[in-house]
Amino acid sequence: MNIKRLKGFRDILPSETPAWRLVEESASRVFGKYGYEELRLPLLEETPLFKRTIGEATDIVEKEMYTFTDAGDNMVTLRPEGTASTVRAYVENGFARSHPKERWFYMGPMFRRERPQKGRFRQFHQIGAECFGWAEPAADADVISMLWDFAVDLGISSRVSMEVNSLGCASDRSAYIEELRKYLESRSDSLCSNCKERTTRNPLRVLDCKSPHCQEATKDAPSLENYLCEDCAEHFTVVCGILSSEKVPFKVNNRMVRGLDYYNRTTFELLTNELGSQNAVAAGGRYDGLVELLGGPAVPALGFAMGVERLVLMVGEGAGIRSAPGAYFVYRTEEGQRRAFSLKRQLIGEGFKADMDYEERSFKAQMRAAGSSGAAFAVIFGESEIAEGKVTIKDMQKGEQVTLDDKEAKDVLIQRLRMESELGD
Ligand code: ATP
Ligand code: MG
């Protein structure tokens, strides 16, 4: 048997998980301070949840979803993103009516059957945040500031940039789309086949096409900015004003349209130029109609999702701390192993990391393992220690050692390891 993982699916190995935890812990910490609470959602949902919200004419719904009928003949889909499920949970669990002001975040795998490449996978992970119940521009500015503060906390803010735009309301957009379609039709010859088709079905998305030809062909396309109604324009001005006075760096990009149908008004992306064409690290916006679309009352909301693989690539897959044990136990004979086992377990009970080899290898090999483990102390039950009922603690950095009985050894180790961990903090 030679079974391999599916194309576009990855194993996240122990050497990488510290970097993952760094990203996840930074998000939980920063979002938590902003009042966001964690939500955990199912990976599998009824297919219409995504079809109706993300939009029939989007890449995700048209060609990227993992959809199948289960043994009970239900059409189900592995979630391609988190917002639709979050809104479903918000409505289904009664929050939309009884407690509409909620701020939630989630993290976990998403599934899209797209072409795998660097920073693009079929199972990937997002950390997302959703803010329900406020239509005010201060909410938009707060969400964008939070995303920026996360980038600062993670230490990548000098390598990313924030772009913002307003998609206006539905009526602004329909006026604009008519003009855009006319423009695109006049340049149809220069567009890729995909965009030719999008011109009729979903012209906004042409602006989002990654082909340089299409970008060139549409560089003087009419700008959405000129089609915003007074309220939408005012909303956007206030959002930008707060960000400016808060010194959250951003740039207005009138071509940013986002690949999902549910957005309105403010949209934003956090971009990098380090990952080739996979330049969006995070993206989001307002989706004021979505709660109602999923059967709730009209509750305004907005949010964003970040791509964890891309963030991990940015911090470096080797980032984060792989913790070394505080003590590594080295022993001879069965009796030595018993005593080492017991003292190791007592140290773990006191909150320290400790390790030993279960196989009694040569004394030399065990000492080498103690060295390469990075442990601060080797705790040695050699033949002479066993004969005297003692144990030796060796400071691996200084090379100094003391021989004590087990009880004293435990107290000394606890004291020294505590000092070590204070120094480490
Ligand atoms: P892109 O333009 O890169 O396809 P998108 O507009 O499809 O992104 P969203 O659906 O808004 O992206 O998802 C938010 C974030 O999730 C993206 O900015 C990106 O960081 C990440 N992401 C999206 N698709 C993938 C994927 N297939 N593999 C890895 N990360 C992804
Ligand atoms: Mg995409």
Side-chain angles (χ1 to χ4, degrees):
M1 267 214 288
N2 182 15
I3 298 173
K4 298 219 168 73
R5 59 177 180 265
L6 294 169
K7 192 173 161 204
F9 285 68
R10 291 179 70 227
D11 302 311
I12 301 156
L13 299 174
S15 57
E16 295 167 68
T17 48
W20 281 69
R21 279 228 292 276
L22 199 72
V23 170
E24 290 163 357
E25 283 164 10
S26 174
S28 314
R29 184 167 55 238
V30 175
F31 297 179
K33 288 186 204 159
Y34 271 86
Y36 285 69
E37 296 170 301
E38 188 182 358
L39 175 74
R40 300 192 183 192
L41 295 165
L43 303 191
L44 202 59
E45 298 268 7
E46 289 185 0
T47 302
L49 173 64
F50 303 114
K51 280 202 177 171
R52 278 193 222 138
T53 56
I54 298 169
E56 299 271 1
T58 59
D59 283 354
I60 296 179
V61 171
E62 277 186 338
K63 48 193 186 204
E64 296 174 358
M65 295 203 309
Y66 283 91
T67 296
F68 57 95
T69 38
D70 70 5
D73 258 349
N74 304 305
M75 272 272 265
V76 293
T77 297
L78 280 169
R79 64 179 188 188
E81 58 107 47
T83 301
S85 310
T86 304
V87 176
R88 186 218 20 85
Y90 173 79
V91 173
E92 190 172 347
N93 293 287
F95 290 93
R97 282 176 209 284
S98 65
H99 202 270
K101 290 182 170 158
E102 286 289 334
R103 287 170 297 192
W104 293 343
F105 75 93
Y106 59 82
M107 44 181 85
M110 306 292 162
F111 303 84
R112 296 184 195 176
R113 201 171 187 293
E114 42 188 343
R115 193 168 70 78
Q117 51 199 291
K118 183 179 180 192
R120 191 176 291 286
F121 304 98
R122 290 180 171 177
Q123 175 177 332
F124 63 100
H125 296 73
Q126 287 184 336
I127 301 176
E130 316 288 357
C131 172
F132 292 100
W134 286 276
E136 290 72 16
D140 309 39
D142 202 50
V143 166
I144 296 171
S145 307
M146 178 170 89
L147 175 57
W148 182 255
D149 289 353
F150 161 80
V152 172
D153 186 83
L154 193 60
I156 59 166
S157 59
S158 64
R159 298 150 63 198
V160 291
S161 58
M162 182 78 76
E163 294 192 354
V164 302
N165 190 22
S166 176
L167 296 181
C169 49
S171 60
D172 300 347
R173 244 179 354 266
S174 63
Y176 171 69
I177 285 172
E178 276 326 298
E179 285 309 303
L180 180 65
R181 185 177 282 131
K182 275 185 220 151
Y183 172 90
L184 295 173
E185 278 162 359
S186 74
R187 275 160 190 74
S188 166
D189 292 344
S190 334
L191 298 176
C192 71
S193 57
N194 214 342
C195 282
K196 278 189 193 130
E197 217 196 305
R198 285 173 174 146
T199 302
T200 28
R201 286 185 310 113
N202 204 341
L204 272 185
R205 214 115 291 145
V206 176
L207 298 178
D208 205 26
C209 181
K210 296 202 161 76
S211 143
H213 296 294
C214 295
Q215 286 185 9
E216 175 64 24
T218 58
K219 70 175 193 300
D220 326 302
S223 175
L224 187 51
E225 177 192 24
N226 303 324
Y227 293 78
L228 297 185
C229 65
E230 214 174 300
D231 285 352
C232 287
E234 168 68 11
H235 183 98
F236 191 53
T237 305
V238 177
V239 174
C240 294
I242 299 175
L243 293 177
S244 301
S245 68
E246 282 303 308
K247 310 221 160 31
V248 173
F250 70 95
K251 199 179 95 190
V252 175
N253 172 2
N254 291 123
R255 290 177 59 98
M256 187 212 299
V257 290
R258 310 290 304 108
L260 298 85
D261 274 358
Y262 50 62
Y263 289 115
N264 69 302
R265 288 201 164 167
T266 317
T267 55
F268 50 94
E269 287 187 347
L270 193 67
L271 302 166
T272 171
N273 52 22
E274 295 175 13
L275 303 174
S277 60
Q278 276 53 258
N279 64 347
V281 179
R286 210 168 243 295
Y287 48 86
D288 292 331
L290 199 51
V291 174
E292 213 175 357
L293 183 70
L294 288 176
V299 179
L302 78 157
F304 64 83
M306 321 193 280
V308 182
E309 280 78 3
R310 295 181 193 183
L311 291 165
V312 167
L313 281 170
M314 289 201 72
V315 297
E317 282 166 10
I321 304 152
R322 291 175 87 175
S323 69
Y328 193 97
F329 287 78
V330 174
Y331 60 89
R332 300 292 303 170
T333 79
E334 213 176 301
E335 189 192 337
Q337 191 194 54
R338 287 280 161 73
R339 284 172 60 198
F341 191 100
S342 169
L343 188 50
K344 176 176 96 78
R345 190 154 172 258
Q346 291 176 57
L347 289 182
I348 291 172
E350 294 291 331
F352 302 108
K353 184 175 171 185
D355 202 2
M356 67 193 278
D357 197 325
Y358 314 115
E359 178 196 355
E360 188 194 327
R361 293 199 292 153
S362 76
F363 193 79
K364 238 172 137 181
Q366 292 187 57
M367 281 308 289
R368 255 201 317 274
S372 58
S373 74
F377 301 100
V379 185
I380 305 161
F381 294 87
E383 260 139 37
S384 58
E385 281 90 353
I386 293 168
E388 292 164 32
K390 304 254 177 191
V391 50
T392 296
I393 300 170
K394 178 173 180 187
D395 182 320
M396 298 298 276
Q397 285 265 303
K398 299 192 186 119
E400 294 163 0
Q401 53 184 61
V402 282
T403 300
L404 307 161
D405 66 33
D406 288 15
K407 172 75 185 72
E408 284 172 316
K410 181 184 165 189
D411 294 342
V412 168
L413 278 167
I414 289 172
Q415 197 192 5
R416 299 285 301 273
L417 287 170
R418 221 161 255 156
M419 273 165 59
E420 287 282 326
S421 76
E422 276 160 21
L423 285 176
D425 285 345

